[in-house]
mmCIF file of all heavy atoms in Angstrom:
data_model
loop_
_atom_site.group_PDB
_atom_site.id
_atom_site.type_symbol
_atom_site.label_atom_id
_atom_site.label_comp_id
_atom_site.label_asym_id
_atom_site.label_seq_id
_atom_site.Cartn_x
_atom_site.Cartn_y
_atom_site.Cartn_z
ATOM 1 N N SER N 38 -7.952 -29.064 10.909
ATOM 2 C CA SER N 38 -6.952 -28.566 9.893
ATOM 3 C C SER N 38 -7.486 -27.417 9.148
ATOM 4 O O SER N 38 -6.735 -26.438 8.909
ATOM 5 C CB SER N 38 -6.498 -29.702 8.877
ATOM 6 O OG SER N 38 -5.896 -30.737 9.564
ATOM 7 N N PHE N 39 -8.700 -27.509 8.702
ATOM 8 C CA PHE N 39 -9.350 -26.394 7.918
ATOM 9 C C PHE N 39 -9.435 -25.119 8.938
ATOM 10 O O PHE N 39 -9.173 -24.016 8.399
ATOM 11 C CB PHE N 39 -10.698 -26.720 7.517
ATOM 12 C CG PHE N 39 -10.674 -27.590 6.273
ATOM 13 C CD1 PHE N 39 -11.490 -28.635 6.093
ATOM 14 C CD2 PHE N 39 -9.725 -27.280 5.200
ATOM 15 C CE1 PHE N 39 -11.551 -29.444 5.013
ATOM 16 C CE2 PHE N 39 -9.707 -28.079 4.135
ATOM 17 C CZ PHE N 39 -10.627 -29.244 3.960
ATOM 18 N N GLU N 40 -9.797 -25.352 10.179
ATOM 19 C CA GLU N 40 -9.867 -24.184 11.183
ATOM 20 C C GLU N 40 -8.451 -23.544 11.318
ATOM 21 O O GLU N 40 -8.378 -22.340 11.351
ATOM 22 C CB GLU N 40 -10.439 -24.685 12.480
ATOM 23 C CG GLU N 40 -11.880 -24.906 12.531
ATOM 24 C CD GLU N 40 -12.425 -25.375 13.798
ATOM 25 O OE1 GLU N 40 -11.798 -25.084 14.855
ATOM 26 O OE2 GLU N 40 -13.494 -26.024 13.815
ATOM 27 N N GLU N 41 -7.480 -24.381 11.423
ATOM 28 C CA GLU N 41 -6.077 -23.935 11.581
ATOM 29 C C GLU N 41 -5.644 -23.120 10.287
ATOM 30 O O GLU N 41 -5.088 -21.960 10.422
ATOM 31 C CB GLU N 41 -5.098 -25.063 11.819
ATOM 32 C CG GLU N 41 -3.656 -24.602 12.021
ATOM 33 C CD GLU N 41 -2.701 -25.813 12.195
ATOM 34 O OE1 GLU N 41 -3.167 -26.967 12.330
ATOM 35 O OE2 GLU N 41 -1.477 -25.492 12.112
ATOM 36 N N LEU N 42 -5.971 -23.614 9.169
ATOM 37 C CA LEU N 42 -5.695 -23.007 7.879
ATOM 38 C C LEU N 42 -6.513 -21.666 7.809
ATOM 39 O O LEU N 42 -5.906 -20.668 7.354
ATOM 40 C CB LEU N 42 -5.996 -23.912 6.753
ATOM 41 C CG LEU N 42 -5.851 -23.358 5.324
ATOM 42 C CD1 LEU N 42 -4.317 -23.023 5.133
ATOM 43 C CD2 LEU N 42 -6.212 -24.365 4.237
ATOM 44 N N ALA N 43 -7.713 -21.748 8.197
ATOM 45 C CA ALA N 43 -8.539 -20.437 8.136
ATOM 46 C C ALA N 43 -7.942 -19.416 9.019
ATOM 47 O O ALA N 43 -7.887 -18.261 8.650
ATOM 48 C CB ALA N 43 -10.027 -20.807 8.578
ATOM 49 N N GLY N 44 -7.423 -19.837 10.260
ATOM 50 C CA GLY N 44 -6.813 -18.886 11.149
ATOM 51 C C GLY N 44 -5.541 -18.325 10.475
ATOM 52 O O GLY N 44 -5.316 -17.140 10.568
ATOM 53 N N LYS N 45 -4.748 -19.133 9.837
ATOM 54 C CA LYS N 45 -3.572 -18.628 9.258
ATOM 55 C C LYS N 45 -3.834 -17.741 8.012
ATOM 56 O O LYS N 45 -3.189 -16.684 7.881
ATOM 57 C CB LYS N 45 -2.713 -19.851 8.677
ATOM 58 C CG LYS N 45 -2.052 -20.623 9.748
ATOM 59 C CD LYS N 45 -1.165 -21.795 9.163
ATOM 60 C CE LYS N 45 -0.466 -22.603 10.293
ATOM 61 N NZ LYS N 45 0.178 -23.768 9.776
ATOM 62 N N LEU N 46 -4.906 -18.087 7.293
ATOM 63 C CA LEU N 46 -5.348 -17.196 6.186
ATOM 64 C C LEU N 46 -5.831 -15.843 6.762
ATOM 65 O O LEU N 46 -5.566 -14.818 6.136
ATOM 66 C CB LEU N 46 -6.419 -17.894 5.347
ATOM 67 C CG LEU N 46 -5.920 -19.100 4.484
ATOM 68 C CD1 LEU N 46 -7.099 -19.815 3.801
ATOM 69 C CD2 LEU N 46 -4.924 -18.546 3.401
ATOM 70 N N GLN N 47 -6.631 -15.912 7.787
ATOM 71 C CA GLN N 47 -7.101 -14.638 8.386
ATOM 72 C C GLN N 47 -5.966 -13.716 8.849
ATOM 73 O O GLN N 47 -5.956 -12.613 8.655
ATOM 74 C CB GLN N 47 -8.021 -14.998 9.529
ATOM 75 C CG GLN N 47 -8.676 -13.764 10.193
ATOM 76 C CD GLN N 47 -9.572 -13.005 9.311
ATOM 77 O OE1 GLN N 47 -10.270 -13.621 8.453
ATOM 78 N NE2 GLN N 47 -9.593 -11.654 9.440
ATOM 79 N N SER N 48 -5.056 -14.353 9.463
ATOM 80 C CA SER N 48 -3.811 -13.678 9.965
ATOM 81 C C SER N 48 -3.070 -13.079 8.814
ATOM 82 O O SER N 48 -2.616 -11.878 8.808
ATOM 83 C CB SER N 48 -2.924 -14.628 10.769
ATOM 84 O OG SER N 48 -1.719 -13.993 11.123
ATOM 85 N N SER N 49 -2.907 -13.845 7.689
ATOM 86 C CA SER N 49 -2.219 -13.395 6.480
ATOM 87 C C SER N 49 -2.983 -12.198 5.890
ATOM 88 O O SER N 49 -2.385 -11.214 5.475
ATOM 89 C CB SER N 49 -2.023 -14.472 5.509
ATOM 90 O OG SER N 49 -1.183 -15.474 5.958
ATOM 91 N N LEU N 50 -4.334 -12.323 5.798
ATOM 92 C CA LEU N 50 -5.129 -11.326 5.358
ATOM 93 C C LEU N 50 -5.047 -10.007 6.159
ATOM 94 O O LEU N 50 -4.853 -8.864 5.615
ATOM 95 C CB LEU N 50 -6.665 -11.772 5.248
ATOM 96 C CG LEU N 50 -7.621 -10.715 4.832
ATOM 97 C CD1 LEU N 50 -7.310 -10.281 3.359
ATOM 98 C CD2 LEU N 50 -9.049 -11.265 4.927
ATOM 99 N N GLU N 51 -5.040 -10.142 7.438
ATOM 100 C CA GLU N 51 -4.931 -8.982 8.328
ATOM 101 C C GLU N 51 -3.584 -8.354 8.145
ATOM 102 O O GLU N 51 -3.427 -7.115 8.065
ATOM 103 C CB GLU N 51 -5.134 -9.316 9.788
ATOM 104 C CG GLU N 51 -6.612 -9.695 10.099
ATOM 105 C CD GLU N 51 -6.788 -10.344 11.374
ATOM 106 O OE1 GLU N 51 -5.870 -10.520 12.163
ATOM 107 O OE2 GLU N 51 -8.000 -10.728 11.702
ATOM 108 N N ASN N 52 -2.575 -9.112 7.957
ATOM 109 C CA ASN N 52 -1.194 -8.645 7.800
ATOM 110 C C ASN N 52 -1.200 -7.918 6.431
ATOM 111 O O ASN N 52 -0.547 -6.882 6.371
ATOM 112 C CB ASN N 52 -0.168 -9.802 7.825
ATOM 113 C CG ASN N 52 1.228 -9.349 7.689
ATOM 114 O OD1 ASN N 52 1.586 -8.258 8.196
ATOM 115 N ND2 ASN N 52 2.128 -10.126 7.131
ATOM 116 N N ALA N 53 -1.689 -8.529 5.383
ATOM 117 C CA ALA N 53 -1.662 -7.831 4.101
ATOM 118 C C ALA N 53 -2.416 -6.520 4.162
ATOM 119 O O ALA N 53 -2.040 -5.540 3.585
ATOM 120 C CB ALA N 53 -2.264 -8.740 3.056
ATOM 121 N N GLU N 54 -3.565 -6.557 4.802
ATOM 122 C CA GLU N 54 -4.457 -5.303 4.891
ATOM 123 C C GLU N 54 -3.586 -4.200 5.693
ATOM 124 O O GLU N 54 -3.611 -3.079 5.247
ATOM 125 C CB GLU N 54 -5.704 -5.553 5.641
ATOM 126 C CG GLU N 54 -6.700 -6.287 4.779
ATOM 127 C CD GLU N 54 -7.946 -6.705 5.594
ATOM 128 O OE1 GLU N 54 -7.884 -6.731 6.801
ATOM 129 O OE2 GLU N 54 -8.915 -7.106 4.841
ATOM 130 N N SER N 55 -2.915 -4.652 6.666
ATOM 131 C CA SER N 55 -2.077 -3.695 7.473
ATOM 132 C C SER N 55 -0.861 -3.135 6.650
ATOM 133 O O SER N 55 -0.618 -1.954 6.629
ATOM 134 C CB SER N 55 -1.477 -4.466 8.679
ATOM 135 O OG SER N 55 -0.567 -3.561 9.417
ATOM 136 N N GLN N 56 -0.305 -4.022 5.787
ATOM 137 C CA GLN N 56 0.828 -3.543 4.879
ATOM 138 C C GLN N 56 0.252 -2.574 3.876
ATOM 139 O O GLN N 56 0.821 -1.567 3.482
ATOM 140 C CB GLN N 56 1.502 -4.709 4.242
ATOM 141 C CG GLN N 56 2.343 -5.524 5.174
ATOM 142 C CD GLN N 56 2.889 -6.794 4.588
ATOM 143 O OE1 GLN N 56 2.684 -7.000 3.375
ATOM 144 N NE2 GLN N 56 3.690 -7.425 5.311
ATOM 145 N N VAL N 57 -0.965 -2.897 3.362
ATOM 146 C CA VAL N 57 -1.625 -2.061 2.299
ATOM 147 C C VAL N 57 -1.972 -0.620 2.997
ATOM 148 O O VAL N 57 -1.638 0.350 2.356
ATOM 149 C CB VAL N 57 -2.889 -2.647 1.700
ATOM 150 C CG1 VAL N 57 -3.754 -1.563 0.972
ATOM 151 C CG2 VAL N 57 -2.553 -3.810 0.844
ATOM 152 N N GLN N 58 -2.431 -0.687 4.157
ATOM 153 C CA GLN N 58 -2.713 0.615 4.870
ATOM 154 C C GLN N 58 -1.325 1.389 5.137
ATOM 155 O O GLN N 58 -1.344 2.603 4.898
ATOM 156 C CB GLN N 58 -3.489 0.349 6.108
ATOM 157 C CG GLN N 58 -4.012 1.640 6.791
ATOM 158 C CD GLN N 58 -4.842 2.424 5.898
ATOM 159 O OE1 GLN N 58 -5.816 1.996 5.296
ATOM 160 N NE2 GLN N 58 -4.587 3.768 5.743
ATOM 161 N N SER N 59 -0.379 0.698 5.463
ATOM 162 C CA SER N 59 0.916 1.381 5.680
ATOM 163 C C SER N 59 1.378 1.950 4.417
ATOM 164 O O SER N 59 1.865 3.060 4.454
ATOM 165 C CB SER N 59 1.920 0.266 6.242
ATOM 166 O OG SER N 59 3.146 0.861 6.401
ATOM 167 N N LEU N 60 1.284 1.201 3.351
ATOM 168 C CA LEU N 60 1.739 1.740 2.059
ATOM 169 C C LEU N 60 0.834 2.999 1.611
ATOM 170 O O LEU N 60 1.399 3.867 1.152
ATOM 171 C CB LEU N 60 1.653 0.719 0.892
ATOM 172 C CG LEU N 60 2.715 -0.459 0.993
ATOM 173 C CD1 LEU N 60 2.406 -1.548 0.044
ATOM 174 C CD2 LEU N 60 4.098 0.160 0.755
ATOM 175 N N ARG N 61 -0.496 2.930 1.812
ATOM 176 C CA ARG N 61 -1.296 4.015 1.577
ATOM 177 C C ARG N 61 -0.796 5.250 2.363
ATOM 178 O O ARG N 61 -0.807 6.369 1.832
ATOM 179 C CB ARG N 61 -2.853 3.707 1.849
ATOM 180 C CG ARG N 61 -3.370 2.829 0.800
ATOM 181 C CD ARG N 61 -4.862 2.577 1.109
ATOM 182 N NE ARG N 61 -5.466 1.736 0.088
ATOM 183 C CZ ARG N 61 -6.326 0.795 0.304
ATOM 184 N NH1 ARG N 61 -6.769 0.559 1.540
ATOM 185 N NH2 ARG N 61 -6.833 0.068 -0.653
ATOM 186 N N ASP N 62 -0.567 5.087 3.651
ATOM 187 C CA ASP N 62 -0.192 6.124 4.587
ATOM 188 C C ASP N 62 1.159 6.720 4.005
ATOM 189 O O ASP N 62 1.325 7.919 4.005
ATOM 190 C CB ASP N 62 -0.001 5.637 5.985
ATOM 191 C CG ASP N 62 -1.292 5.294 6.664
ATOM 192 O OD1 ASP N 62 -2.401 5.629 6.070
ATOM 193 O OD2 ASP N 62 -1.298 4.591 7.667
ATOM 194 N N ARG N 63 2.165 5.857 3.712
ATOM 195 C CA ARG N 63 3.420 6.325 3.192
ATOM 196 C C ARG N 63 3.216 7.124 1.869
ATOM 197 O O ARG N 63 3.881 8.128 1.624
ATOM 198 C CB ARG N 63 4.369 5.162 2.954
ATOM 199 C CG ARG N 63 4.838 4.581 4.284
ATOM 200 C CD ARG N 63 5.806 3.440 4.155
ATOM 201 N NE ARG N 63 6.903 3.785 3.309
ATOM 202 C CZ ARG N 63 7.733 2.908 2.746
ATOM 203 N NH1 ARG N 63 7.438 1.585 2.888
ATOM 204 N NH2 ARG N 63 8.699 3.213 1.982
ATOM 205 N N HIS N 64 2.283 6.555 1.020
ATOM 206 C CA HIS N 64 2.090 7.203 -0.224
ATOM 207 C C HIS N 64 1.530 8.577 0.013
ATOM 208 O O HIS N 64 1.926 9.642 -0.740
ATOM 209 C CB HIS N 64 1.073 6.384 -1.111
ATOM 210 C CG HIS N 64 0.748 7.096 -2.408
ATOM 211 N ND1 HIS N 64 -0.411 7.814 -2.558
ATOM 212 C CD2 HIS N 64 1.344 7.065 -3.578
ATOM 213 C CE1 HIS N 64 -0.493 8.281 -3.717
ATOM 214 N NE2 HIS N 64 0.557 7.840 -4.466
ATOM 215 N N GLU N 65 0.589 8.663 0.913
ATOM 216 C CA GLU N 65 -0.073 10.005 1.252
ATOM 217 C C GLU N 65 1.005 10.972 1.811
ATOM 218 O O GLU N 65 1.097 12.138 1.473
ATOM 219 C CB GLU N 65 -1.193 9.828 2.217
ATOM 220 C CG GLU N 65 -1.930 11.119 2.604
ATOM 221 C CD GLU N 65 -2.608 11.753 1.449
ATOM 222 O OE1 GLU N 65 -2.854 11.119 0.355
ATOM 223 O OE2 GLU N 65 -2.952 13.025 1.527
ATOM 224 N N GLN N 66 1.927 10.410 2.659
ATOM 225 C CA GLN N 66 2.985 11.293 3.210
ATOM 226 C C GLN N 66 3.815 11.688 2.183
ATOM 227 O O GLN N 66 4.319 12.914 2.062
ATOM 228 C CB GLN N 66 3.638 10.510 4.301
ATOM 229 C CG GLN N 66 4.764 11.230 5.036
ATOM 230 C CD GLN N 66 5.431 10.427 6.122
ATOM 231 O OE1 GLN N 66 5.136 9.185 6.195
ATOM 232 N NE2 GLN N 66 6.376 11.002 6.784
ATOM 233 N N PHE N 67 4.285 10.879 1.242
ATOM 234 C CA PHE N 67 5.142 11.267 0.095
ATOM 235 C C PHE N 67 4.476 12.341 -0.757
ATOM 236 O O PHE N 67 5.126 13.286 -1.171
ATOM 237 C CB PHE N 67 5.547 10.048 -0.675
ATOM 238 C CG PHE N 67 6.560 9.118 -0.102
ATOM 239 C CD1 PHE N 67 6.597 7.755 -0.262
ATOM 240 C CD2 PHE N 67 7.580 9.582 0.731
ATOM 241 C CE1 PHE N 67 7.397 6.888 0.369
ATOM 242 C CE2 PHE N 67 8.477 8.781 1.404
ATOM 243 C CZ PHE N 67 8.434 7.373 1.175
ATOM 244 N N ARG N 68 3.170 12.135 -1.054
ATOM 245 C CA ARG N 68 2.428 13.007 -1.842
ATOM 246 C C ARG N 68 2.420 14.427 -1.169
ATOM 247 O O ARG N 68 2.643 15.425 -1.893
ATOM 248 C CB ARG N 68 0.991 12.509 -2.131
ATOM 249 C CG ARG N 68 0.258 13.361 -3.091
ATOM 250 C CD ARG N 68 -1.249 13.068 -3.170
ATOM 251 N NE ARG N 68 -1.954 13.233 -1.976
ATOM 252 C CZ ARG N 68 -2.259 14.518 -1.454
ATOM 253 N NH1 ARG N 68 -1.940 15.665 -2.153
ATOM 254 N NH2 ARG N 68 -2.795 14.647 -0.288
ATOM 255 N N LYS N 69 2.109 14.369 0.131
ATOM 256 C CA LYS N 69 2.122 15.743 0.782
ATOM 257 C C LYS N 69 3.526 16.327 0.804
ATOM 258 O O LYS N 69 3.602 17.585 0.545
ATOM 259 C CB LYS N 69 1.635 15.490 2.241
ATOM 260 C CG LYS N 69 0.180 15.247 2.313
ATOM 261 C CD LYS N 69 -0.244 15.066 3.811
ATOM 262 C CE LYS N 69 -1.724 14.811 3.932
ATOM 263 N NZ LYS N 69 -2.126 14.553 5.351
ATOM 264 N N THR N 70 4.540 15.539 1.020
ATOM 265 C CA THR N 70 5.916 16.086 0.973
ATOM 266 C C THR N 70 6.205 16.601 -0.425
ATOM 267 O O THR N 70 6.767 17.682 -0.586
ATOM 268 C CB THR N 70 6.907 14.959 1.335
ATOM 269 O OG1 THR N 70 6.578 14.551 2.653
ATOM 270 C CG2 THR N 70 8.335 15.510 1.319
ATOM 271 N N ALA N 71 5.859 15.844 -1.422
ATOM 272 C CA ALA N 71 6.150 16.313 -2.881
ATOM 273 C C ALA N 71 5.314 17.620 -3.138
ATOM 274 O O ALA N 71 5.853 18.480 -3.771
ATOM 275 C CB ALA N 71 5.639 15.177 -3.778
ATOM 276 N N ASP N 72 4.081 17.659 -2.671
ATOM 277 C CA ASP N 72 3.286 18.820 -2.887
ATOM 278 C C ASP N 72 3.880 20.003 -2.186
ATOM 279 O O ASP N 72 3.946 21.128 -2.709
ATOM 280 C CB ASP N 72 1.808 18.639 -2.388
ATOM 281 C CG ASP N 72 0.994 17.722 -3.272
ATOM 282 O OD1 ASP N 72 1.512 17.408 -4.371
ATOM 283 O OD2 ASP N 72 -0.034 17.313 -2.830
ATOM 284 N N GLY N 73 4.398 19.761 -0.952
ATOM 285 C CA GLY N 73 5.078 20.811 -0.227
ATOM 286 C C GLY N 73 6.309 21.290 -0.890
ATOM 287 O O GLY N 73 6.580 22.504 -1.085
ATOM 288 N N ARG N 74 7.051 20.329 -1.419
ATOM 289 C CA ARG N 74 8.391 20.670 -2.130
ATOM 290 C C ARG N 74 8.035 21.421 -3.418
ATOM 291 O O ARG N 74 8.855 22.357 -3.799
ATOM 292 C CB ARG N 74 9.204 19.388 -2.341
ATOM 293 C CG ARG N 74 9.864 18.924 -1.194
ATOM 294 C CD ARG N 74 10.683 17.720 -1.429
ATOM 295 N NE ARG N 74 11.285 17.239 -0.219
ATOM 296 C CZ ARG N 74 11.814 16.025 0.025
ATOM 297 N NH1 ARG N 74 11.887 15.240 -1.004
ATOM 298 N NH2 ARG N 74 12.352 15.676 1.171
ATOM 299 N N LYS N 75 7.027 20.980 -4.108
ATOM 300 C CA LYS N 75 6.544 21.691 -5.339
ATOM 301 C C LYS N 75 6.245 23.097 -5.092
ATOM 302 O O LYS N 75 6.615 23.943 -5.734
ATOM 303 C CB LYS N 75 5.434 20.905 -5.992
ATOM 304 C CG LYS N 75 4.929 21.489 -7.275
ATOM 305 C CD LYS N 75 3.791 20.737 -7.891
ATOM 306 C CE LYS N 75 3.273 21.435 -9.139
ATOM 307 N NZ LYS N 75 1.964 20.932 -9.543
ATOM 308 N N ALA N 76 5.472 23.252 -3.955
ATOM 309 C CA ALA N 76 4.994 24.597 -3.629
ATOM 310 C C ALA N 76 6.257 25.388 -3.241
ATOM 311 O O ALA N 76 6.402 26.575 -3.660
ATOM 312 C CB ALA N 76 4.035 24.561 -2.467
ATOM 313 N N ASP N 77 7.123 24.863 -2.492
ATOM 314 C CA ASP N 77 8.429 25.473 -2.121
ATOM 315 C C ASP N 77 9.183 25.881 -3.345
ATOM 316 O O ASP N 77 9.655 26.986 -3.444
ATOM 317 C CB ASP N 77 9.275 24.653 -1.124
ATOM 318 C CG ASP N 77 8.659 24.510 0.237
ATOM 319 O OD1 ASP N 77 7.650 25.263 0.533
ATOM 320 O OD2 ASP N 77 9.126 23.687 0.988
#
Side-chain angles (χ1 to χ4, degrees):
S38 295
F39 284 138
E40 285 179 24
E41 181 182 352
L42 180 59
K45 288 178 180 178
L46 288 172
Q47 182 65 34
S48 176
S49 294
L50 176 62
E51 289 168 2
N52 186 32
E54 287 172 343
S55 174
Q56 289 177 357
V57 166
Q58 187 58 49
S59 176
L60 287 171
R61 284 183 179 144
D62 292 345
R63 287 178 58 199
H64 177 265
E65 181 63 17
Q66 184 179 3
F67 287 145
R68 189 191 60 76
K69 286 179 181 178
T70 300
D72 288 349
R74 287 183 180 162
K75 180 181 176 191
D77 290 347

